[in-house]
Amino acid sequence: MSHYDVIVIGGGPSGLMACVAAGERGASVLLIDKGDKLGRKLGISGGGRCNVTNAKDTDALIEHIPGNGRFLYSAFQHWNNRDIMTFFEGLGIPLKEEDNGRMFPVSDKASSVVNALVSKVKELGTDIKTNSPVERILYQDGQAAGVELKSGKTYKSHCVIIATGGQSVPQTGSTGDGYPWAVAAGHTITELYPTEVPIVSTEPWIASKELQGLSLRDVELSVWNPKGKRVIAHRGDMLFTHFGVSGPIALRCSQFIRQVQRKFDTVNVDMAIDLFPDLSLGQVESAFKERLEQEPKKAVKNAIKGWIPERMIPLLLSTADLDGDTVCSGISKTSVNAFASTLKKFLFRACGTRSLKEAFVTGGGVNLKEIQPKTMESKLMQGLFFCGEVLDIHGYTGGYNITAAFSTGYTAGKHAAEAASLFRN
Ligand SMILES: Cc1cc2nc3c(=O)[nH]c(=O)nc-3n(C[C@H](O)[C@H](O)[C@H](O)COP(=O)(O)OP(=O)(O)OC[C@H]3O[C@@H](n4cnc5c(N)ncnc54)[C@H](O)[C@@H]3O)c2cc1C
């Protein structure tokens, strides 16, 4: 067969869910992927356990999708995280909720989710072609007309869904192939950039690797603009690396580094770590004073062991201009205040992030002004639909991108099938 009601390009979460929604509506569907396996990126999400979705309510979901989350209101109204959970439970994949609403399969195996989804797609009669890179999409008189593979083979359809993902971690197949096809249809692509990516710093103590491998638990990391205004703050765990900082809260802050760099035409961006986010400056001062009083004869650098991450002590003391060998009883009020302030706001400079290839998620993509939010259909080319990370939508890791991919995929598949039925009648 070389004519289908709907052709889906890309077998990630968005494309697979588009196949389900179109197949459930009786459409004949062809799914094409250039890799030998479907759902590769989905399979490595959530630390390899597959972070299927997030259990938070719609407003919170959107809040955790800082890259144009509001565009998703319409899609979420019709098919959202609750539907994703019901869908997978219906496939015999029980789910469990972990911290911050993250949903995982009880099996902790990504393969159980990917296999169940692919089986459902097959059960609905979808034709699947793997190892089949698409070269271009065929357009005719303002209407999608089909696709041409790199091999030269063509397949016809009035409804084509681009679900090719972004450009990060290209070894999973997401190499940005969808963008030129969108441009050929008249679309614009907003600038692509890495999000959910480790942050780079050239601070001497990063270059010397003295903190490499040290993780901080339950601290607050913030990004500041050159006017001294806090742009964003995230609380949780982070890690010092040989090039800068990483870990959950660093990844979340990363996109704001680029934002400040662009807005203020600067390279260096101030960041700060609050080691005691639950305490006020006054309370940290009191806690420090109490330690000094308990151990009046000890050197301060020893008195604070067990209270402050040990490997950070020399750096924190020198930042506060406090000699670690000073005995506790000899520390002035000014030094107490300076050290407490350093613990509450340890400032350092970031100078960028790691590359798009290393990012978990691609920022930017197909301009949302050119997409119908209710259907995911192009406003510029009839029968052309988009879903998933190829769109200019990006969220924090934690199931938010996958929720966006499933939801936009379902919406695109449903409406592509409905549009295709008009051609059948
Ligand atoms: C390590 C890692 C961990 C992550 N963890 C999380 C997480 O915990 N929570 C979260 O929300 N998100 C997470 N993400 C992000 C999430 O996985 C992606 O946002 C999501 O997979 C995007 O889905 P998609 O369907 O749009 O595209 P993709 O999953 O990228 O799939 C695109 C598909 O298109 C195919 N394709 C591309 N070009 C062509 C072509 N020319 N012809 C045919 N086929 C083509 C590719 O082979 C691929 O199969 C993580 C990402 C990574 C890399």
Side-chain angles (χ1 to χ4, degrees):
M1 182 167 161
S2 67
H3 187 283
Y4 291 85
D5 289 334
V6 178
I7 295 178
V8 178
I9 313 171
S14 67
L16 288 165
M17 202 53 92
C19 292
V20 170
E24 279 176 348
R25 282 160 184 79
S28 61
V29 182
L30 171 65
L31 169 63
I32 309 174
D33 199 288
K34 69 177 173 186
D36 55 351
K37 264 174 75 187
L38 301 171
R40 274 173 295 173
K41 201 175 264 186
L42 181 62
I44 58 169
S45 72
R49 294 188 298 132
C50 193
N51 190 180
V52 187
T53 188
N54 191 291
K56 291 199 165 81
D57 65 32
T58 301
D59 286 337
L61 284 182
I62 285 170
E63 205 180 294
H64 286 78
I65 304 179
N68 296 317
R70 270 176 296 173
F71 177 82
L72 294 168
Y73 264 117
S74 189
F76 283 172
Q77 229 167 22
H78 295 105
W79 214 77
N80 58 28
N81 52 347
R82 301 282 144 206
D83 299 297
I84 294 169
M85 290 182 232
T86 308
F87 173 79
F88 280 105
E89 306 254 4
L91 294 185
I93 305 293
L95 303 176
K96 58 177 172 175
E97 184 175 339
E98 294 194 359
D99 58 313
N100 299 311
R102 296 185 307 152
M103 299 299 298
F104 289 93
V106 169
S107 67
D108 278 333
K109 287 200 180 105
S111 56
S112 65
V113 172
V114 176
N115 292 344
L117 184 52
V118 172
S119 297
K120 179 70 184 177
V121 167
K122 286 181 180 162
E123 185 192 304
L124 287 164
T126 307
D127 277 353
I128 300 176
K129 308 241 174 276
T130 49
N131 294 312
S132 306
V134 169
E135 175 69 22
R136 65 188 181 106
I137 298 181
L138 310 173
Y139 303 116
Q140 207 172 13
D141 305 327
Q143 171 76 48
V147 304
E148 183 184 316
L149 302 190
K150 274 211 162 60
S151 64
K153 174 122 186 84
T154 59
Y155 294 96
K156 302 252 168 70
S157 178
H158 294 299
C159 294
V160 175
I161 301 178
I162 300 182
T164 45
Q167 247 181 355
S168 32
V169 192
Q171 57 273 33
T172 59
S174 334
T175 46
D177 297 10
Y179 305 124
W181 307 334
V183 170
H187 285 277
T188 49
I189 309 299
T190 61
E191 193 194 347
L192 304 176
Y193 58 95
T195 75
E196 299 298 291
V197 65
I199 293 169
V200 178
S201 166
T202 52
E203 290 285 356
W205 45 271
I206 290 287
S208 70
K209 301 188 171 81
E210 62 194 83
L211 296 184
Q212 184 182 345
L214 172 69
S215 35
L216 300 179
R217 302 252 169 252
D218 197 21
V219 296
E220 187 184 84
L221 183 67
S222 50
V223 178
W224 296 70
N225 74 21
K227 290 184 171 167
K229 190 169 172 249
R230 195 168 82 162
V231 177
I232 192 81
H234 282 291
R235 186 164 169 178
D237 303 338
M238 61 174 283
L239 169 78
F240 294 100
T241 67
H242 61 287
F243 55 78
V245 288
S246 189
I249 55 173
L251 297 184
R252 286 191 172 198
C253 284
S254 59
Q255 63 187 282
F256 299 95
I257 300 289
R258 176 188 167 275
Q259 216 177 75
V260 172
Q261 284 179 321
R262 288 185 62 85
K263 190 164 174 196
F264 295 91
D265 193 20
T266 179
V267 174
N268 290 318
V269 178
D270 281 341
M271 296 192 76
I273 300 169
D274 180 349
L275 287 162
F276 294 101
D278 281 330
L279 304 183
S280 67
L281 176 60
Q283 286 169 320
V284 175
E285 266 179 21
S286 304
F288 183 36
K289 263 195 244 158
E290 216 172 281
R291 290 198 167 248
L292 298 177
E293 282 159 16
Q294 276 166 6
E295 314 265 15
K297 292 192 179 129
K298 254 194 185 173
V300 62
K301 68 180 181 196
N302 295 326
I304 55 177
K305 275 185 191 163
W307 184 49
I308 309 289
E310 204 169 320
R311 284 176 63 196
M312 272 194 101
I313 289 176
L315 177 63
L316 293 167
L317 287 169
S318 73
T319 305
D321 210 11
L322 183 52
D323 180 354
D325 289 321
T326 315
V327 289
C328 293
S329 58
I331 295 198
S332 68
K333 207 173 157 214
T334 318
S335 291
V336 169
N337 182 270
F339 191 62
S341 300
T342 305
L343 297 180
K344 278 298 285 173
K345 193 177 177 187
F346 172 68
L347 275 170
F348 67 98
R349 288 192 145 180
C351 60
T353 67
R354 299 290 271 194
S355 70
L356 186 48
K357 283 184 181 170
E358 293 166 80
F360 281 51
V361 182
T362 302
V366 177
N367 196 328
L368 299 176
K369 289 190 188 132
E370 302 154 359
I371 307 293
Q372 309 274 6
K374 282 193 179 139
T375 62
M376 300 297 145
E377 189 171 8
S378 162
K379 289 180 182 172
L380 311 176
M381 181 68 69
Q382 261 194 331
L384 182 67
F385 294 79
F386 295 89
C387 54
E389 211 178 297
V390 70
L391 290 164
D392 182 7
I393 297 172
H394 62 89
Y396 296 134
T397 50
Y400 304 103
N401 296 287
I402 294 169
T403 302
F406 279 144
S407 181
T408 55
Y410 192 90
T411 306
K414 173 176 186 273
H415 290 281
E418 285 170 8
S421 71
L422 301 177
F423 286 98
R424 275 205 307 267
N425 297 333

